[in-house]
């Protein structure tokens, strides 16, 4: 009798899990996982440009599915909340506190709106004020705070943030430029359900290709909606009132000159496109006076539907249009000398130009680059840093030059392979405030610069700060992170006294901010954020190194449950979570990434929460896909995937922590693609979990990830790499999860739907979970916790309690 009752109860427990087509409600995973998901979120911090004040921006927890269910327009590559004329699915701050730079005198900012949804926090250039947005149910407001008095003032309502850019402080520290909804624009256009004609697309013989973009315009109804919400009025708050600047238009960006007298304005124009997002629509780039009068047209770009496809290919014409950081108002841009085709044999491929007031004369050639232009960091009138790179060759070059005589003074500083992390010298540090904002920080009366970086090494990342001697090219190490801590530079607040603000953490201590004297090593704590995950107390973390059978060095981060005793508890069911990455050399692929001394930061949907349920987890297992000068990495994609998996499992089994018969593979996006391939091409795993992946590569025929060849150039490659094409080989259970509103290029929900159909048709054990309203990353609390319940139930049945046939 009791046995029959137990059987009935077990049936009731698994019933909703067994019948996926039934009306399943959102479920909750075990309480430890729920508690981690609902943990208090550590505030973000923002340091004022004058290095006197720190703002603590208090963050809300997860949104709910109800929040995601607000009306959302998915048009022209955007996701718009039409009620507020801004982006949908935004995250917000709920409150603000201020403290002194040394962490003293924390005080709460009072007078914020009830149920505040704050964003875009920005200091005035001198740090005496701050501005931020507040989103209500029907508008986006702009607020200003006086730092000294902590007084607040709402200065505008009805910002237009469809293109996400919100506002910019002017150099006078008291004026702000922003885009607003056009006054009196009338109601939004209604849908015309009676077609006026067919939807037509045409190509007149030009060769070109577009990626599989999502959320595109579909018809003229969408076009009218897009134009309605994209049109804005450029507006200035002058410290006391609002001024309109120019006429309304579809303005995607505003870039103020350093002196605040001019602005670069980017405006979209018709015709629109049904196959590319708004960033490829016709556009014009102009320079305006602050009264809204046009001074010059700098660039006029046509509709661009045939996109550059190969490595380092670009559109012809002017690009990277902006202002020189070392001049009050000097334009700068770059043009391809090769027409956008890097395969042309030429000494220089890009040319950098400048243009001074009144912006109507002939541009001046500044400097040319042998590879693609990557930017300039300005120092003073006699010194600047030039960057250029080649994605195909995976190389980056860094030069210094004198802007007064650029070609004669060019000097190579660094040449490095883009994926060679060990040899990366770091980035040159720049000023954050004052007239030299964005320019190089000089030391030793202009003779030295500062470099900071992650400091990748065989023992893990060890962030550093160096001093670079301009004349000799030699670097002197000022400081380097030391075990058992991971500490990185946030700001260099005093380059003379060598005082820096750092973030410091360890395996057991959450990240906090400190003030570090780089000369004497004195360390002063600024913040005291607590561990938000007491449920993870006692969990152990270890960076494990091992070798693939072809000699490539690999690592994974091993997490073991609290209180685990290898001798007493034996090998555990194990989850391997990974994401493949391409390399062009074995040396680069074998370099260690990450640090063994970082605190485990969790998000609600992290796979790491399952360490609380008795699983060992091999997180961030390195899955390099390695090519060579003659062979593309993907040419042996499947073989290398299997080798990576074998090496990870063998190492974990050798350590005695993993039961070889109870290992699961898992990943998100390209990691999901990896997971499905591993189950199709090996029997190494008991099961797999694949979240929001792409499984049929013929649906992304013009390339994917870092693959530049088309389906027609390499059909066998596309077929071999597609789990959909190999569905009949999948013999182990697989759980597919996908957001029904996925916006990522290529990972349409149909990818999971079609793979499910193929697997079901071949008799596989498979479950498809589609999360309503969720995008590529899952945000709603109900969705995230239900996803974790699905994985918990799946692993409990097919991993932890797997029955191994003799």
């Amino acid at each position: 009798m009791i046995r029959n009752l137990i059987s009935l109860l077990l049936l009731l427990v698994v019933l909703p899990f067994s019948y996926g087509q039934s009306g399943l409600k959102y479920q909750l995973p075990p309480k430890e996982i729920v508690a981690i998901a609902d943990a208090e979120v550590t505030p973000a911090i923002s340091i004022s440009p004058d290095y006197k004040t720190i703002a603590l921006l208090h963050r809300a927890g997860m949104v709910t599915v109800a929040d995601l269910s607000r009306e959302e327009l998915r048009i022209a590559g955007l996701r718009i909340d039409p009620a507020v004329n801004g982006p949908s699915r935004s995250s917000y701050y709920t409150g603000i506190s201020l403290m002194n730079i040394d962490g003293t005198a924390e005080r709460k900012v009072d007078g914020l709106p009830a149920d505040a949804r704050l964003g875009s926090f920005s200091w005035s250039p001198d740090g005496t004020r701050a501005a931020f947005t507040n989103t209500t149910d029907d508008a986006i407001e702009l607020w200003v705070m006086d730092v000294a008095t902590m007084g607040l003032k709402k200065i505008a309502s009805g910002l237009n943030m469809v293109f996400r850019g919100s506002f910019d402080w002017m150099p006078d520290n008291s004026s702000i430029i922003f885009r607003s909804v056009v006054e009196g624009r009338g109601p939004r256009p209604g849908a015309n359900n009676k077609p006026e004609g067919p939807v037509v697309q045409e190509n007149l013989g030009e060769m070109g290709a577009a990626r599989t973009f999502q959320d595109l315009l579909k018809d003229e109804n969408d076009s009218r909606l897009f134009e309605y919400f994209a049109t804005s009025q450029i507006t200035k708050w002058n410290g006391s009132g609002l001024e309109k600047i120019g006429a309304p238009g579809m303005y995607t960006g505003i870039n103020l000159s350093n002196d605040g007298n001019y602005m670069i304005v980017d405006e979209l124009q018709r015709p629109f496109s049904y196959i590319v997002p708004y960033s490829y629509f016709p556009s014009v780039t102009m320079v305006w006076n602050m009264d809204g009068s046009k001074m010059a047209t700098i660039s006029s770009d046509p509709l661009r539907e045939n996109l550059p496809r190969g490595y380092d290919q670009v559109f012809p014409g002017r690009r990277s249009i902006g202002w020189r950081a070392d001049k009050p108002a000097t334009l700068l841009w770059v043009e391809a000398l090769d027409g956008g085709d890097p395969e042309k044999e030429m000494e220089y491929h890009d040319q950098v130009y400048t243009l001074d007031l009144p912006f109507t004369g002939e541009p001046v050639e500044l400097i040319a680059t042998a590879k693609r232009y990557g930017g300039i960091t300005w120092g003073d009138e006699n010194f600047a840093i030039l960057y250029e790179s080649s994605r195909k060759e995976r190389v980056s070059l860094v030069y210094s030059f004198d802007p007064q005589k650029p070609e004669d003074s060019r000097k190579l500083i660094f040449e490095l392979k883009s994926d060679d992390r060990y040899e990366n010298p770091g980035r040159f540090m720049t000023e954050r405030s004052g007239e030299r904002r964005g320019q190089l920080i000089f030391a030793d009366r202009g003779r030295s610069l500062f470099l900071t970086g992650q400091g990748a090494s065989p023992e893990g990342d060890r962030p550093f700060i160096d001093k670079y001697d301009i004349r000799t090219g030699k670097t002197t190490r000022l400081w380097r992170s030391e075990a058992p801590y991971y500490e990185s530079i946030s700001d260099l607040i005093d380059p003379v006294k060598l005082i820096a603000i750092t973030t410091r953490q360890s395996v057991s201590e959450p990240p906090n901010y400190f003030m570090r004297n780089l000369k004497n090593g004195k360390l002063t704590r600024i913040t005291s954020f607590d561990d938000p995950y007491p449920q993870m107390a006692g969990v152990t973390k270890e960076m494990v190194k091992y070798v693939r059978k072809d000699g490539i060095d690999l690592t994974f981060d091993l997490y073991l449950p609290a209180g685990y005793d290898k001798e007493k508890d034996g090998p555990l069911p194990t989850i391997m979570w990974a994401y493949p990455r391409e390399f062009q050399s074995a040396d680069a692929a074998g370099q260690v990434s990450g640090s063994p001394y970082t605190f485990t930061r969790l998000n609600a949907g992290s796979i790491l929460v399952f360490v609380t349920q008795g699983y060992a987890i091999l997180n961030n297992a390195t899955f390099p896909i390695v090519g060579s000068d003659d062979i593309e990495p993907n040419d042996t994609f499947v073989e290398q995937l299997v080798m990576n998996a074998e090496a990870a499992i063998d190492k974990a089994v050798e350590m005695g922590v993993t039961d070889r018969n109870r290992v699961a593979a898992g990943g998100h996006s390209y990691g999901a693609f990896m997971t499905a391939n591993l189950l199709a091409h090996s029997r190494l795993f008991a099961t797999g979990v694949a979240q929001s992946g792409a499984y049929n590569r013929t649906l992304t025929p013009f390339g994917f990830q870092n693959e530049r060849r088309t389906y027609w150039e390499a059909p066998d490659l596309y077929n071999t790499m597609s789990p959909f094409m190999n569905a009949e080989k999948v013999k182990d259970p697989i759980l597919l999860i996908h957001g029904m509103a996925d916006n990522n290029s290529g990972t349409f929900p149909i990818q999971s739907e079609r793979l499910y159909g193929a697997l079901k048709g071949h008799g596989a054990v498979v479950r498809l979970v589609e999360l309503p309203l969720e995008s590529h990353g899952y945000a709603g609390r109900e969705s995230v916790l239900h996803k974790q319940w699905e994985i918990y139930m799946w692993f409990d049945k097919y991993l932890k309690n797997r029955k191994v046939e003799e």
Side-chain angles (χ1 to χ4, degrees):
M1 179 68 179
I2 293 178
R3 180 178 298 175
N4 291 338
L5 179 60
I6 292 174
S7 298
L8 176 61
L9 290 173
L10 286 174
L11 178 62
L12 291 174
V13 168
V14 301
L15 190 61
F17 186 71
S18 301
Y19 295 92
Q21 285 78 15
S22 64
L24 180 62
K25 305 296 185 182
Y26 289 112
Q27 302 292 313
L28 292 176
K31 63 181 186 302
E32 298 90 350
I33 298 177
V34 175
I36 291 172
D38 290 335
E40 183 177 352
V41 183
T42 301
I45 80 161
S46 178
I47 301 172
S48 65
D50 60 0
Y51 298 119
K52 293 181 180 179
T53 310
I54 294 175
L56 300 175
L57 307 175
H58 302 282
R59 296 185 277 198
M62 285 188 290
V63 300
T64 67
V65 168
D67 295 320
L68 298 181
S69 65
R70 286 174 61 95
E71 183 186 5
E72 180 180 64
L73 299 179
R74 303 172 188 173
I75 49 176
L78 295 168
R79 293 199 165 182
I80 299 170
D81 182 340
V84 301
N85 222 106
S88 62
R89 303 170 181 265
S90 296
S91 57
Y92 301 105
Y93 304 118
T94 57
I96 303 172
S97 299
L98 301 181
M99 63 169 58
N100 297 336
I101 191 68
D102 61 2
T104 61
E106 182 176 347
R107 58 268 189 201
K108 179 184 177 183
V109 175
D110 294 320
L112 291 168
D115 300 319
R117 294 189 291 169
L118 312 177
S120 302
F121 185 91
S122 175
W123 298 96
S124 63
D126 65 358
T128 61
R129 294 180 173 186
F132 52 87
T133 61
N134 177 57
T135 301
T136 68
D137 286 339
D138 57 8
I140 301 175
E141 305 169 339
L142 183 57
W143 290 66
V144 169
M145 174 180 67
D146 182 276
V147 175
T149 66
M150 296 175 63
L152 297 172
K153 181 179 181 180
K154 183 176 75 172
I155 63 172
S157 183
L159 272 65
N160 187 326
M161 290 180 57
V162 162
F163 298 111
R164 291 196 175 268
S166 49
F167 58 86
D168 290 293
W169 282 97
M170 295 191 67
D172 63 5
N173 298 292
S174 61
S175 303
I176 297 176
I177 297 289
F178 59 94
R179 283 164 284 173
S180 58
V181 171
V182 178
E183 187 177 355
R185 66 178 177 176
R188 62 191 267 186
N192 181 4
N193 294 321
K194 181 181 178 181
E196 298 177 358
V199 176
V200 176
Q201 300 183 58
E202 182 178 39
N203 185 62
L204 300 177
E206 292 186 21
M207 181 178 291
R211 295 190 65 184
T212 48
F213 297 110
Q214 302 217 46
D215 301 335
L216 301 176
L217 299 177
K218 296 183 290 296
D219 52 32
E220 183 57 27
N221 286 332
D222 280 356
S223 296
R224 286 194 296 268
L225 274 176
F226 173 70
E227 191 164 19
Y228 176 84
F229 286 103
T231 301
S232 63
Q233 172 68 58
I234 298 177
T235 306
K236 175 183 177 182
W237 177 66
N238 58 22
S240 58
L242 301 177
E243 305 172 6
K244 295 179 181 178
I245 301 178
M250 290 184 286
Y251 303 119
T252 60
I254 305 170
N255 187 351
L256 293 171
S257 62
N258 301 315
D259 60 9
N261 293 327
Y262 313 98
M263 64 176 78
I264 298 171
V265 177
D266 299 310
E267 183 181 10
L268 292 181
Q269 298 178 334
R270 280 184 177 258
F272 302 149
S273 171
Y274 297 144
I275 64 172
V276 292
Y278 78 89
S279 53
Y280 299 106
F281 292 177
S283 65
V284 59
T285 301
M286 303 163 284
V287 177
W288 285 10
N289 266 315
M290 293 309 296
D291 62 4
S293 59
K294 186 177 75 171
M295 299 183 66
T297 296
I298 307 304
S299 178
S300 184
D301 296 319
L303 175 63
R304 297 172 295 183
E305 290 186 327
N306 295 329
L307 308 185
R309 183 172 55 82
Y311 288 113
D312 304 311
Q313 289 190 2
V314 296
F315 289 109
R318 297 175 178 179
R319 66 184 199 276
S320 301
I321 301 171
W323 301 103
R324 276 183 61 159
D326 63 333
K327 298 287 185 180
T330 296
L331 287 169
L332 177 141
W333 67 80
V334 63
E335 295 184 46
L337 298 174
D338 54 21
D341 182 3
E343 297 301 319
K344 290 183 179 179
E345 292 290 335
M346 356 185 20
E347 182 179 5
Y348 295 111
H349 288 270
D350 276 349
Q351 175 69 53
V352 182
Y353 295 92
T354 63
L355 184 61
D356 289 317
L357 279 165
F359 314 122
T360 55
E362 287 296 315
V364 175
E365 294 183 355
L366 178 67
I367 196 166
T369 61
K371 303 185 187 303
R372 284 289 175 238
Y373 170 76
I376 293 175
T377 304
W378 301 94
D380 55 27
E381 62 180 12
N382 298 117
F383 189 84
I385 302 290
L386 171 71
Y387 303 87
E388 60 178 79
S389 64
S390 168
R391 291 189 65 190
K392 181 178 181 180
E393 299 171 14
R394 302 195 181 205
V395 66
S396 297
L397 303 174
V398 183
Y399 296 91
S400 64
F401 71 98
D402 180 350
Q404 306 298 323
K405 44 182 180 179
E407 294 298 345
D408 296 335
S409 62
R410 187 197 309 248
K411 175 184 176 183
L412 181 65
I413 300 178
F414 303 123
E415 179 176 359
L416 60 148
K417 289 290 186 181
S418 304
D419 51 8
D420 187 353
R421 301 181 73 249
Y422 289 176
E423 296 299 320
N424 192 322
R427 60 175 178 83
F428 287 102
M429 302 186 74
T430 57
E431 302 278 1
R432 290 188 62 241
S433 61
E435 294 182 356
R436 299 196 69 256
R437 182 173 52 173
Q439 294 177 242
L440 293 164
I441 300 176
F442 285 106
D444 304 323
R445 299 181 180 178
R447 294 190 294 270
S448 301
L449 303 172
F450 294 97
L451 284 163
T452 186
Q454 287 299 310
S457 73
E459 60 203 78
D461 290 351
R462 296 182 60 188
F464 66 89
I465 183 169
D466 289 344
K467 186 179 284 188
Y468 172 81
D469 188 295
I470 293 173
R471 183 179 60 84
T472 66
K474 293 183 179 179
T475 59
T476 302
R477 179 123 309 164
L478 300 178
W479 170 84
R480 188 185 189 192
S481 179
E482 297 288 344
Y485 291 95
Y486 176 85
E487 188 175 356
S488 59
I489 300 289
S490 294
D491 282 284
L492 182 62
I493 65 174
D494 191 329
V496 177
K497 296 181 180 179
L498 294 181
I499 305 297
I501 291 180
T502 69
T503 56
R504 177 179 169 96
Q505 60 187 292
S506 70
V507 172
S508 59
E509 299 174 32
N512 272 287
Y513 288 83
F514 290 79
M515 190 175 296
R516 175 176 282 279
N517 186 314
L518 300 173
K519 288 184 177 180
N520 60 25
K522 182 180 178 182
L523 200 62
T524 304
R525 177 184 286 270
I526 296 174
T527 62
S528 298
F529 300 136
D530 295 327
D531 181 352
Y533 316 116
Q535 300 80 11
M536 296 286 285
V539 170
T540 62
K541 173 190 174 184
E542 177 187 359
M543 178 183 281
V544 177
K545 300 178 181 180
Y546 53 103
V547 181
R548 206 168 77 173
K549 67 181 181 182
D550 60 356
I552 293 178
D553 294 322
L554 305 175
T555 64
F556 58 66
D557 293 329
L558 173 64
Y559 290 82
L560 294 172
Y564 170 69
D565 185 315
K566 182 166 54 178
E567 301 302 323
K568 176 183 174 183
D569 300 322
L572 297 174
T574 298
I575 305 166
M576 185 197 72
W577 202 262
Y579 190 98
R581 300 188 185 278
E582 297 87 353
F583 296 88
Q584 208 60 43
S585 73
D587 289 342
Q591 293 185 356
V592 174
S593 177
S595 168
Y597 304 117
T598 54
F599 181 77
T600 301
R601 274 289 186 193
L602 302 177
N603 62 60
S606 172
I607 198 66
L608 295 179
V609 300
F610 288 95
V611 74
T612 67
Q613 304 304 305
Y615 294 95
I617 300 178
L618 316 182
N619 195 44
N620 293 328
T622 49
F623 261 65
I625 307 299
V626 186
S628 64
D629 292 339
D630 302 320
I631 300 174
E632 289 294 319
N634 283 341
D635 289 348
T636 54
F637 178 84
V638 169
E639 295 89 336
Q640 293 195 61
L641 273 191
V642 174
M643 276 199 294
N644 291 326
E646 286 176 335
I649 294 171
D650 287 348
K651 181 61 179 180
V653 170
E654 175 192 313
M655 295 175 69
V657 299
T658 290
D659 178 348
R660 186 182 295 278
N661 293 314
R662 294 187 296 162
V663 182
H668 186 88
S669 194
Y670 209 55
F673 172 68
M674 169 206 76
T675 299
N677 264 306
L678 284 171
L679 267 64
H681 297 286
S682 79
R683 298 300 306 279
L684 297 169
F685 297 97
T687 185
V689 171
Q691 297 178 175
S692 297
Y695 310 108
N696 182 349
R697 283 304 171 192
T698 68
L699 298 179
T700 55
F702 288 101
F704 55 90
Q705 206 74 359
N706 287 313
E707 179 57 61
R708 290 295 182 268
R709 291 167 290 186
T710 71
Y711 170 75
W712 298 273
E713 292 170 324
D716 291 342
L717 175 81
Y718 276 68
N719 289 327
T720 300
M721 290 181 66
S722 294
F724 177 84
M725 308 302 186
N726 297 277
E728 80 284 0
K729 301 176 184 176
V730 175
K731 305 301 181 184
D732 298 298
I734 183 168
L735 173 62
L736 304 174
I737 302 172
H738 216 117
M740 295 177 71
D742 195 327
N743 66 334
N744 186 54
S745 177
T747 56
F748 294 86
I750 196 173
Q751 291 272 6
S752 287
E753 294 165 3
R754 291 294 181 260
L755 180 59
Y756 172 79
L759 293 171
K760 181 180 179 183
H762 286 92
V765 176
V766 57
R767 180 176 173 89
L768 172 61
V769 179
E770 296 185 283
L771 301 172
L773 305 174
E774 294 294 345
S775 187
H776 192 61
Y778 317 139
R781 180 179 184 273
E782 297 92 334
S783 300
V784 172
L785 290 176
H786 182 86
K787 185 225 30 157
Q788 299 291 56
W789 176 83
E790 291 279 358
I791 296 175
Y792 170 78
M793 295 291 288
W794 189 264
F795 281 167
D796 192 67
K797 181 175 183 180
Y798 294 112
L799 184 59
K800 181 179 288 187
N801 297 305
R802 182 194 185 199
K803 300 292 190 295
V804 181
E805 296 181 3
E806 297 296 334

